[in-house]
Amino acid sequence: MAAPTILKAEDKLEIIELSSSYNKSLDHRDVDGWLEMWTENGTIETPFGNSKGKASLRVFLNGYFEIARGKRHWTSNYMIYADSSQDSNTVNSTTATATSATMSCDLIVFKIEEIPTIFTTGTYVDKLKKVKDIWKFSSRKLNLDSMSWHRTSS
């Protein structure tokens, strides 16, 4: 019988910091910092497009910056779990430390150019991988609650 996989509190804090750094890099237009948060074959799925691999993620992010201009991203309500279907490091015969995790969190995007207002809300659903002792996104899916602000002219 395989040892149960655990996710330590310090791992959960590192994952929350990863999410916060993701938001900051978007808000400050830090492409290289944002790309460092991804595995080599990381994938993103959003209403604005999908992308896989760092070269494609760079192109995606540069296009996304126009949508994100004048916005501040805020995530909360983190639910983080060890992904026992992936590899883990055995600590002893009774437990294993997770090297993969799943996370969901809520997103609020504020419009900050004028009087701050809520621009949109949604959720992220993520898969994370620990690479050389650093947590990174291997996939991130954004589900927005509404896209009424994103109307196109006919």
Side-chain angles (χ1 to χ4, degrees):
M1 182 174 179
T5 304
I6 60 168
L7 195 59
K8 295 178 181 179
E10 64 192 46
D11 287 315
K12 289 186 176 191
L13 287 172
E14 288 172 13
I15 290 169
I16 291 169
E17 284 185 2
L18 175 69
S19 183
S20 296
S21 295
Y22 177 99
N23 295 338
K24 291 285 190 182
S25 67
L26 283 178
D27 296 342
H28 296 283
R29 304 170 78 86
D30 178 6
V31 176
D32 292 331
W34 188 81
L35 287 171
E36 278 300 310
M37 297 175 208
W38 292 89
T39 61
E40 288 301 317
N41 293 315
T43 61
I44 191 165
E45 184 179 338
T46 76
F48 317 110
N50 304 328
S51 193
K52 181 176 182 176
K54 286 198 175 183
S56 182
L57 286 167
R58 180 181 293 278
V59 172
F60 168 84
L61 184 61
N62 283 316
Y64 180 74
F65 277 151
E66 284 311 307
I67 296 167
R69 184 181 303 281
K71 312 292 186 308
R72 179 160 298 139
H73 297 75
W74 184 328
T75 46
S76 64
N77 298 334
Y78 296 95
M79 301 301 293
I80 305 168
Y81 302 99
D83 186 351
S84 58
S85 68
Q86 301 293 318
D87 294 336
S88 58
N89 294 326
T90 302
V91 174
N92 57 46
S93 61
T94 59
T95 61
T97 303
T99 57
S100 337
T102 59
M103 173 175 70
S104 66
C105 60
D106 294 333
L107 168 70
I108 301 173
V109 180
F110 294 95
K111 186 174 181 180
I112 59 171
E113 289 180 330
E114 301 161 8
I115 298 172
T117 57
I118 293 176
F119 181 70
T120 194
T121 59
T123 58
Y124 281 117
V125 177
D126 305 316
K127 291 187 178 183
L128 303 114
K129 191 86 175 151
K130 200 166 194 179
V131 179
K132 296 181 182 175
D133 293 327
I134 298 171
W135 285 101
K136 295 182 180 267
F137 293 106
S138 57
S139 74
R140 182 155 241 212
K141 181 176 181 179
L142 171 60
N143 300 300
L144 292 178
D145 296 325
S146 171
M147 290 215 17
S148 61
W149 52 270
H150 192 265
R151 303 238 193 272
T152 58
S153 57
S154 304

